[in-house]
Amino acid sequence: MKTLFLLFLTLIVLALMPSCIEDSIDTSPSSQPEFSVDTLKMGVIFTDQPTPTHRFLVYNRHDKVMSISNISLRSGQKIFRMNADGFSGETFQNIEIRPNDSIFVFVEATVPPSGTPALTPTTDYIDFTTNGVTRSILLLAEAQDVERRHGLVITEDSRWDATYPYQIFDSLVVDHGVTLTLSEGTALHFHDKAYMRIYGSLVTEGTPQNPVNLSGDRTDNVVGDISFDLMASQWDRLEFAPESKGNRLSHTVIRNTSNGVIADSLSQVTFLNCRLRNSADYSLVSRYADVSLYGCELAEASNGVLAIMGGKLTANHCTFANYYLFSGLRGASVQFFHFSPDSDNESGMPYLTADFANSIFYGNGTDLSEGDFTGTDIYFNRCLFKSAGNDDDNFINSIWDTDPLYYTVRNDYYFDYRLQPDSPARGVADPTLTATEAAYDFYGTPRLPYPHLGAYQTDGDAGNN
């Protein structure tokens, strides 16, 4: 029994010895923390507004406790704010990290206005002093002054330019009989749940070099290198109210919405080389409206990229593609309503007339909600489909069951609907069907004399589009 007792006591002592070693503090100057980043990049931020919180990790890769004698913000400008290991402040002393463990450091900032439209780099350092040695993390934000608008109703013809971006809170409404013109390069950033409603007219003058952008106001990354540009539901919608006329959007990107773009009863809207993408509902809904799409991309929406109910629609050299990231697809990419006696919704409105030409319908899920348009005024002329099918009076000179070979790689969060060099959609569009409005693509590349199907004539590459 005595032998067993001594053996048991020895095992207890041996078990306790490592913990005693681990609890001792390493005082060697060579014992230093490691960091998950050397520069904390906070992206492009708006001045005079708190940023989202960013974070990084501080690691102790050693077998003893590490005591960081001082953690502090260097400049004392009070632009950046810090939380280290659960404590907020500008400086901290004697923060201990257990062996082979880590702590979080959280950082946010509020940058004062600069009085200039240029992006202004704003920096500071967090210094970590351990065993007499100081190492630093660079904090970097590009700050930009912004024009803020709250619940604005535009009651006279107005032009907004690209000098400063606009941040829209609550709503932006264009009144009856009034035109709002957005000059090339103008950017509207909508806050959570904000919307834009057009009773009069909206004209955007984007160009291949300087498109107009309507998007959410989150300019940072969701996580890692994944930008909020990919996220839906950042703002509500762009809506063309009933009987809104004279709307013409050129080289305009509309993204990050909850409810997409809505063209309501008897409104009239022309989209020229536009991108409507990343919606939690539909990218575009047309209800008894007159909508024209030339060289447009409609993509990434949970319910479908286009829903058409009655009215009139023209689509020339368009790409309809759905690789939505954040939920299963809840419907076909392009959906048709109130287009025949069998689909009559008792609204009393005329049935849909639609003309699709030189366009591509390909993505995850089903491409079209209907397959038989016999007796309707819906026509597809020289279009490429994911579905297998046969030509008839409504489907003319089609390319069936064929992958157009986009550059898009959904799993890599990369969405580029230009065509790869060996795409079967390259050079096979019917040039006699290319509308004058679709003679150039989003990038300014002429389509003729050998136009590709879909929205893009410009060659793709490995970079972002």
Side-chain angles (χ1 to χ4, degrees):
M1 290 294 294
K2 183 176 180 181
T3 303
L4 288 174
F5 176 77
L6 291 173
L7 179 60
F8 181 69
L9 183 61
T10 301
L11 290 172
I12 291 175
V13 171
L14 290 173
L16 291 174
M17 284 180 64
S19 66
C20 295
I21 295 171
E22 290 173 0
D23 286 338
S24 63
I25 295 177
D26 194 334
T27 59
S28 170
S30 64
S31 179
Q32 295 295 316
E34 294 183 10
F35 306 101
S36 58
V37 297
D38 54 15
T39 300
L40 185 65
K41 297 178 181 178
M42 304 181 73
V44 177
I45 62 177
F46 295 140
T47 59
D48 209 25
Q49 176 177 302
T51 69
T53 301
H54 297 255
R55 69 180 187 181
F56 62 93
L57 281 162
V58 184
Y59 298 99
N60 175 9
R61 303 294 194 189
H62 305 277
D63 294 327
K64 293 183 179 181
V65 173
M66 177 182 293
S67 178
I68 304 177
S69 58
N70 187 74
I71 303 175
S72 60
L73 286 162
R74 183 183 299 179
S75 71
Q77 296 176 356
K78 300 187 183 299
I79 290 175
F80 294 91
R81 298 175 295 280
M82 174 175 56
N83 180 300
D85 199 27
F87 298 96
S88 297
E90 296 180 10
T91 184
F92 310 93
Q93 282 77 41
N94 303 320
I95 299 295
E96 294 187 355
I97 308 178
R98 300 282 297 173
N100 299 301
D101 203 349
S102 61
I103 62 170
F104 280 107
V105 175
F106 299 90
V107 181
E108 61 180 15
T110 303
V111 179
S114 65
T116 173
L119 283 174
T120 303
T122 302
T123 62
D124 202 344
Y125 289 89
I126 301 179
D127 295 324
F128 295 79
T129 301
T130 309
N131 299 329
V133 178
T134 298
R135 293 185 173 180
S136 303
I137 297 294
L138 173 63
L139 308 178
L140 173 62
E142 290 185 287
Q144 186 171 29
D145 287 357
V146 63
E147 298 277 354
R148 292 186 171 89
R149 300 290 184 265
H150 295 260
L152 177 64
V153 179
I154 296 177
T155 57
E156 60 182 12
D157 289 352
S158 302
R159 175 180 287 273
W160 290 8
D161 63 29
T163 303
Y164 292 97
Y166 294 84
Q167 188 176 24
I168 309 300
F169 292 86
D170 305 317
S171 60
L172 173 61
V173 176
V174 179
D175 208 352
H176 296 275
V178 172
T179 298
L180 172 63
T181 301
L182 304 180
S183 300
E184 63 175 292
T186 302
L188 274 56
H189 298 277
F190 292 82
H191 196 60
D192 183 36
K193 297 181 177 60
Y195 64 89
M196 185 175 185
R197 180 178 292 132
I198 312 299
Y199 291 102
S201 304
L202 174 65
V203 175
T204 67
E205 298 177 343
T207 65
Q209 297 75 28
N210 296 295
V212 169
N213 278 278
L214 280 64
S215 65
D217 64 355
R218 293 293 299 269
T219 57
D220 54 323
N221 290 340
V222 183
V223 63
D225 293 328
I226 301 174
S227 168
F228 266 99
D229 276 350
L230 299 176
M231 297 290 291
S233 298
Q234 293 186 52
W235 59 290
D236 192 344
R237 69 195 183 279
L238 167 62
E239 178 182 354
F240 297 93
E243 301 188 51
S244 169
K245 306 292 185 183
N247 300 289
R248 183 176 177 86
L249 282 65
S250 177
H251 292 83
T252 299
V253 181
I254 306 169
R255 60 185 184 273
N256 315 132
T257 60
S258 295
N259 294 295
V261 179
I262 300 172
D264 217 333
S265 303
L266 305 179
S267 62
Q268 181 274 324
V269 191
T270 296
F271 297 91
L272 173 62
N273 289 326
C274 293
R275 292 175 177 162
L276 282 57
R277 51 166 58 172
N278 298 338
S279 171
D281 192 1
Y282 293 96
S283 295
L284 173 63
V285 176
S286 175
R287 293 195 290 250
Y288 317 114
D290 182 354
V291 173
S292 298
L293 301 163
Y294 299 103
C296 293
E297 171 198 309
L298 276 64
E300 276 73 77
S302 65
N303 281 343
V305 300
L306 174 62
I308 328 164
M309 181 181 294
K312 179 183 178 181
L313 184 128
T314 299
N316 194 272
H317 279 286
C318 292
T319 295
F320 303 94
N322 204 356
Y323 292 88
Y324 188 70
L325 279 169
F326 305 108
S327 70
L329 301 181
R330 294 192 283 268
S333 182
V334 178
Q335 301 172 25
F336 301 86
F337 304 92
H338 195 64
F339 60 91
S340 67
D342 291 340
S343 63
D344 193 301
N345 59 14
E346 301 183 355
S347 64
M349 300 293 283
Y351 294 141
L352 170 67
T353 64
D355 181 15
F356 296 88
N358 285 341
S359 295
I360 297 175
F361 301 81
Y362 197 95
N364 285 351
T366 306
D367 46 10
L368 306 179
S369 64
E370 299 289 333
D372 185 2
F373 292 99
T374 302
T376 71
D377 289 321
I378 301 173
Y379 300 96
F380 303 86
N381 208 326
R382 195 51 177 169
C383 294
L384 181 150
F385 299 96
K386 179 179 181 181
S387 300
N390 297 290
D391 282 2
D392 55 26
D393 290 341
N394 299 91
F395 293 88
I396 304 160
N397 199 20
S398 307
I399 300 175
W400 298 99
D401 190 19
T402 300
D403 188 341
L405 300 179
Y406 306 130
Y407 277 89
T408 292
V409 182
R410 182 177 183 270
N411 291 341
D412 292 341
Y413 308 104
Y414 181 73
F415 300 90
D416 183 345
Y417 293 104
R418 289 174 289 182
L419 303 173
Q420 297 182 32
D422 54 348
S423 166
R426 292 175 66 96
V428 299
D430 184 341
T432 67
L433 298 174
T434 299
T436 302
E437 295 89 341
Y440 296 84
D441 76 355
F442 182 90
Y443 299 95
T445 302
R447 298 187 194 276
L448 300 176
Y450 304 109
H452 303 340
L453 294 176
Y456 300 111
Q457 191 75 15
T458 303
D459 288 341
D461 55 34
N464 289 327
N465 64 331

